Amino acid sequence: MMTGRTQAPFEASPHPLPEDLKQALEIYFLDYRIKGRPVSVAKAVRGVRGHVPGSHFSDDTLRTLVVEFAISRGFNLHFDGER
């Protein structure tokens, strides 16, 4: 018998999201629907910041949010650091 872990939905993240930031994440990943190729975390952070320029989140927090969002949606990620 196989027991599997279930992944909590993104909405259950310990990092509550303002609606505008959640929409920016959805828009970014909709625009870059590259299921077979890894998505650059650094580019995603810049892209999301471009959609919500007045965000008070630090780059480190945005990186965490991008990673949590992408993993919860089944995207492959490229952890490329800052560029």
Side-chain angles (χ1 to χ4, degrees):
M1 179 167 82
M2 188 173 174
T3 59
R5 291 178 49 189
T6 59
Q7 185 172 346
F10 184 68
E11 287 72 23
S13 167
H15 303 96
L17 288 180
E19 192 59 33
D20 60 343
L21 185 57
K22 184 177 176 184
Q23 287 177 351
L25 285 162
E26 290 170 351
I27 289 168
Y28 183 84
F29 280 93
L30 180 65
D31 288 346
Y32 294 91
R33 194 86 142 130
I34 314 168
K35 283 285 192 178
R37 294 184 45 175
V39 175
S40 161
V41 173
K43 287 181 183 178
V45 167
R46 286 193 306 273
V48 169
R49 179 138 345 258
H51 284 289
V52 188
S55 172
H56 65 279
F57 288 103
S58 69
D59 284 349
D60 285 341
T61 300
L62 277 179
R63 264 190 292 283
T64 299
L65 295 171
V66 161
V67 168
E68 288 176 353
F69 185 88
I71 290 171
S72 75
R73 302 290 193 288
F75 283 91
N76 293 318
L77 293 172
H78 175 62
F79 292 90
D80 50 353
E82 296 179 32
R83 287 186 178 191

